[in-house]
């Protein structure tokens, strides 16, 4: 916990060190880049109307407790240090931009970075459930990326499963195994991103079991196709997150 508080304070110092005009320029560039890239409507998380209504409702119910508890955590963080609200917004923007960079993969879905690893390490996985549902909601409305009916399923995979794996991996590698923090953040972001697609494959397999091999056969088919694009994407996301993490640490030490 002490290490996480130190990292949060380091990140706040980075934000305070950025001049107002530079920050506005960065935000403008991110918005322009995100909306200027042509986006085919079929390239989505799990797209609108793709899952049966029963499973749409079920995944909403599963996601709800994590989002509610995550909201409580954000309120607690904001009360303890109001400046951290800016940092929550920053990790949300990071997740929004990375997860909007998509490559069509399985019919009705896609592969893309998630951007959830950094926030999971700084704030823990529960906060990222709220960040995840907000990011996914805006993408569904503004970018036709995902959908409202599949919002619960996408939140569980990207906002719950991925962050839990990222936070646990960082805790295991950095705290228990006493390994390098660079290695820990790389593995946390990479595995969190990869497990997001394992979860998505499970969701799709349950909704559409194979006529011959059932859920397991369907899962292997979805996961094997996802792996073609997601393995290299997860590695790249891990490297990018590690560089950002290293910058925050270096800035604080300067």
């Amino acid at each position: 916990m002490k290490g996480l508080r130190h990292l949060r304070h380091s990140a706040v110092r980075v934000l305070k060190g950025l001049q107002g005009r530079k920050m506005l320029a960065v935000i403008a560039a991110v918005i322009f880049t995100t909306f200027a890239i042509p986006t085919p409507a079929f390239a989505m998380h799990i797209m609108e109307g793709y899952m049966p209504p029963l499973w749409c409702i079920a995944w909403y119910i599963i996601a709800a407790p994590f989002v509610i508890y995550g909201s409580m955590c954000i309120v607690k963080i904001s009360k303890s240090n109001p400046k951290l609200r800016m940092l929550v917004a920053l990790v949300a923007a990071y997740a929004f931009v990375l997860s909007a960079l998509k490559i069509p993969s399985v019919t009705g879905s896609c592969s893309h970075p998630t951007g959830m690893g950094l926030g999971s390490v700084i704030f823990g996985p529960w906060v990222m459930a709220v960040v995840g549902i907000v990011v996914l909601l805006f993408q569904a409305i503004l970018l036709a990326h995902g959908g409202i009916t599949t919002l619960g399923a996408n939140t569980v995979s990207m906002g719950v499963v991925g962050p839990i794996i990222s936070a646990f991996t960082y805790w295991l590698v950095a705290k228990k195994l006493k390994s390098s923090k660079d290695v820990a953040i790389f593995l946390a972001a990479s595995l969190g991103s990869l497990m997001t697609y394992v979860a998505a494959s499970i969701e799709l397999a349950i909704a559409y079991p194979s006529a011959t091999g059932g859920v397991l056969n369907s899962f292997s088919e979805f996961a094997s196709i996802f792996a073609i694009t997601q393995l290299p994407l997860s590695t790249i996301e891990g490297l990018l997150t590690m560089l950002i993490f290293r910058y925050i640490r270096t800035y604080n030490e300067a």
Side-chain angles (χ1 to χ4, degrees):
M1 291 299 295
K2 184 178 179 180
L4 288 180
R5 286 196 297 268
H6 180 69
L7 178 60
R8 291 175 186 173
H9 292 319
S10 301
V12 169
R13 286 188 59 193
V14 172
L15 290 174
K16 291 172 68 177
L18 293 174
Q19 297 178 0
R21 291 183 179 179
K22 290 183 178 180
M23 178 62 78
L24 289 176
V26 170
I27 294 173
V30 167
I31 293 174
F32 174 81
T33 302
T34 302
F35 287 97
I37 297 174
T39 307
F42 61 83
M44 302 180 178
H45 297 272
I46 297 178
M47 71 179 185
E48 184 70 74
Y50 191 72
M51 298 188 77
L54 179 62
W55 282 111
C56 291
I57 296 172
W59 290 116
Y60 262 107
I61 294 173
I62 293 171
F66 295 97
V67 174
I68 293 171
Y69 183 68
S71 301
M72 295 167 61
C73 291
I74 291 178
V75 171
K76 184 177 179 181
I77 289 171
S78 299
K79 288 182 177 179
S80 64
N81 187 351
K83 293 179 181 178
L84 289 176
R85 286 180 291 189
M86 184 185 297
L87 186 55
V88 173
L90 181 64
V91 297
Y94 179 69
F96 180 88
V97 172
L98 282 194
S99 59
L101 304 175
K102 45 205 173 290
I103 300 175
S105 183
V106 182
T107 300
S109 190
C110 74
S111 286
H112 54 76
T114 66
M116 304 295 280
L118 183 64
S120 301
V121 170
I122 296 175
F123 292 111
W126 319 124
V127 168
M128 299 311 290
V130 180
V131 170
I133 197 169
V134 171
V135 166
L136 289 164
L137 180 62
F138 273 92
Q139 288 183 352
I141 295 173
L142 300 177
L143 304 179
H145 182 34
I148 303 302
T149 60
T150 56
L151 183 61
N154 288 327
T155 299
V156 170
S157 59
M158 193 176 103
V160 176
V161 174
I164 288 175
I165 295 299
S166 291
F168 175 77
T169 301
Y170 184 81
W171 171 82
L172 178 65
V173 176
K175 305 299 181 182
K176 292 298 180 181
L177 301 180
K178 306 297 182 181
S179 184
S180 164
K181 289 186 178 180
D182 284 345
V183 172
I185 194 68
F186 168 76
L187 291 175
S190 299
L191 291 178
S193 178
L194 189 61
M195 288 304 297
T196 294
Y197 283 88
V198 172
S201 297
I202 293 173
E203 291 170 349
L204 291 169
I206 293 174
Y208 297 103
S210 171
T212 55
V215 173
L216 287 178
N217 187 60
S218 183
F219 168 76
S220 65
E221 291 177 356
F222 281 120
S224 61
I225 298 174
F226 271 135
I228 297 173
T229 50
Q230 195 57 34
L231 282 172
L233 281 176
S234 296
T235 302
I236 293 171
E237 180 178 351
L239 291 172
L240 177 61
T241 305
M242 182 186 71
L243 291 175
I244 295 174
F245 186 83
R246 182 183 294 176
Y247 173 75
I248 293 174
R249 290 174 55 205
T250 302
Y251 186 93
N252 183 65
E253 293 171 358

